[in-house]
Structures are given as structure tokens and as C-alpha cells.
Amino acid sequence: MYNAYTPKQIAKQLSVSTTTLRRYEEQGLIPEVPRTASNRRCYAPIHRQAFITIRTLLKGYEIPVVYNSMRKMQQGHAEEALWSINQQLHDIQVEKQRVESVLTMIKHADFSKYRKYKITDAMTIGEVAEIAGVNPSAIRHWEKEGLIRSIRNLHNGYRVFTSRELRKIIVISSLRKTVYFIENIKQLLDDLDTKNLASVEKSFELAMRKLNQQLIFQYQGIAEMMTYSQMMNHC
């Protein structure tokens, strides 16, 4: 005979509302829940572990990835669920490498080249978008927020960006996923303009700490997911 849990007990253990638990159930993220004679939900240990897995995964992964992986688990496709999770492990590795490479770029006095690209002081929005690896719409948004500036080509009216502005775009695109709000970004860009490298490096160190913490959360989520998988196999 297994231990039985009420929704309130599980909610209290995980510091969430019972509404949140019901939402996970409605989304098909947990096994079917049995009911008592009075039609009350009665959670078993496997349900508890499913909820723990969801909450832990959400600390390190995006919501659509977590939901998709939990549904795959429900369908008996544990390997597919793990591959989905693994993709985000790869993504955070790429993000780490990007942050490190951008910091190296900032320290480098010569910015005439970046990766395979030749840098000029008359680049179009399409060119800087390709170099920075972002959408032109993101660049227009950052300009609207006052983070970057462009000048207009006198002949056709198109936006033109200098190497200085490209450097800012690369920095924004590298750190926007970690710790920064608009005001934080503005201060960082001011430090970049004034060549306050000590402050800039501190910002990048903070970004790296955030990525390191996310990596820990991701592996904790995988550990709970493996425990959940084992329980499902036994059931």
C-alpha cells in the first residue's frame, strides 16, 4: 500500500498552489489521477515525483521544453524527452562560449574583424544583424529603447551602423538572456563607451555566474527526471 497525498499536501511541499497542480494535470504532464469515493484527487508517490520533476526542470529549462518533455514521458518516450532536454544543455554551452568570446572581443583593441566578418563604419541593419546573430527587428527595438544609434544614408534613407554601435549590439545580444534589464544594459553600454573595462568585466562575470547556476538547475532537473522515469518503469 503506497502513501497517498492530498493536493494541499503536495502544494505545501512544493510551495505552489493547488491550482498550479491542476493546471499540470490538465496539460497532461502527470499520470492519470485516481479519485476517492467523494471524488477528491488522491495523489500517489509517482504523482508527487512528477510534480517535483516539473518544478525542478522549470528552474533550468524553458516552459515549452519542460511541458513537451513531460508529455513525452507520459507517452512512454523517455529517450525523446531526454533528447529534448539535451538540446537546451547544448544551447547553454553555446551561450557560455558566446559570452566568453564577446568579452575577449571587448578586450581586443582592434575591432576591424569579428569572426569571419570585416567590420566597417557603414554597415546596414541586415549586415549588423547577421554579424551579431539577431533579427533586424531586435535591433530596431533596441534603437527605440535608446540603447544604440544609427545614422541615415543620405542617398536612400536606410539605417547605417558604425563599428562602435555593432559592438554594443553584440554585447546586448550576448547578455540579454542572463541578467539584464534595460537600465542595466544602458549602464553597461556607458561603461563600454568610456572604456571602463573593470565594470564591463564584472558584468560579464555576473552573466557567467547566472549561466553556471542555470547549468546546475538543469542537471538537478535531469536527476529528478531519471528518478521519475525509474518509478514509471516500476509501475
Side-chain angles (χ1 to χ4, degrees):
M1 183 68 180
Y2 61 76
N3 293 328
Y5 304 92
T6 66
K8 286 186 178 181
Q9 288 174 324
I10 298 292
K12 183 177 180 180
Q13 288 179 19
L14 299 182
S15 299
V16 298
S17 67
T18 54
T19 301
T20 297
L21 300 182
R22 288 197 299 274
R23 184 171 70 249
Y24 295 154
E25 181 182 346
E26 291 165 358
Q27 290 288 333
L29 309 186
I30 66 170
E32 185 175 351
V33 180
R35 301 277 185 144
T36 65
S38 57
N39 201 34
R40 294 181 181 274
R41 288 175 173 82
C42 183
Y43 294 131
I46 194 168
H47 298 107
R48 177 178 178 274
Q49 183 59 39
F51 288 130
I52 291 173
T53 302
I54 294 168
R55 298 302 298 177
T56 308
L57 286 172
L58 285 171
K59 293 179 181 179
Y61 298 93
E62 296 173 0
I63 292 175
V65 172
V66 174
Y67 281 28
N68 177 64
S69 297
M70 292 301 293
R71 290 191 186 104
K72 293 291 185 185
M73 295 288 288
Q74 282 303 107
Q75 296 164 3
H77 304 309
E79 291 84 2
E80 291 184 25
L82 288 170
W83 278 116
S84 177
I85 289 296
N86 186 69
Q87 178 60 49
Q88 287 222 306
L89 278 172
H90 170 266
D91 291 346
I92 196 175
Q93 177 72 30
V94 172
E95 192 70 21
K96 173 180 179 291
Q97 292 170 344
R98 179 178 173 85
V99 169
E100 290 172 336
S101 68
V102 171
L103 181 56
T104 300
M105 176 269 291
I106 289 172
K107 292 179 178 179
H108 203 279
D110 181 14
F111 190 47
S112 60
K113 287 186 177 181
Y114 178 67
R115 296 177 177 171
K116 63 179 181 179
Y117 302 97
K118 183 173 177 59
I119 308 304
T120 72
D121 280 328
M123 294 172 286
T124 66
I125 190 170
E127 290 171 334
V128 295
E130 181 181 354
I131 294 170
V134 297
N135 291 323
S137 59
I139 295 175
R140 286 191 287 268
H141 172 70
W142 296 334
E143 185 174 11
K144 184 178 179 181
E145 292 288 346
L147 300 178
I148 57 175
R149 293 180 181 178
S150 67
I151 55 178
R152 294 285 178 169
N153 186 308
L154 296 178
H155 298 292
N156 55 31
Y158 291 163
R159 288 178 172 87
V160 174
F161 295 87
T162 64
S163 59
R164 177 179 172 181
E165 297 306 309
L166 172 62
R167 193 190 301 252
K168 292 179 182 179
I169 291 168
I170 292 172
V171 169
I172 297 168
S173 66
S174 299
L175 298 184
R176 73 189 192 280
K177 294 181 180 179
T178 51
V179 296
Y180 287 100
F181 298 105
I182 292 296
E183 290 306 315
N184 300 119
I185 287 285
K186 285 181 178 177
Q187 181 59 54
L188 174 61
L189 297 180
D190 286 343
D191 292 336
L192 191 62
D193 271 341
T194 59
K195 293 183 169 51
N196 185 356
L197 288 184
S199 179
V200 172
E201 288 181 23
K202 184 177 180 181
S203 297
F204 274 82
E205 289 171 2
L206 181 57
M208 284 302 304
R209 287 201 295 271
K210 285 284 187 177
L211 288 172
N212 290 339
Q213 185 61 66
Q214 184 181 357
L215 182 66
I216 291 171
F217 284 147
Q218 287 182 337
Y219 274 101
Q220 288 174 344
I222 290 174
E224 296 296 351
M225 197 173 185
M226 295 307 297
T227 299
Y228 178 47
S229 179
Q230 291 168 2
M231 292 179 70
M232 290 186 73
N233 289 337
H234 288 153
C235 290

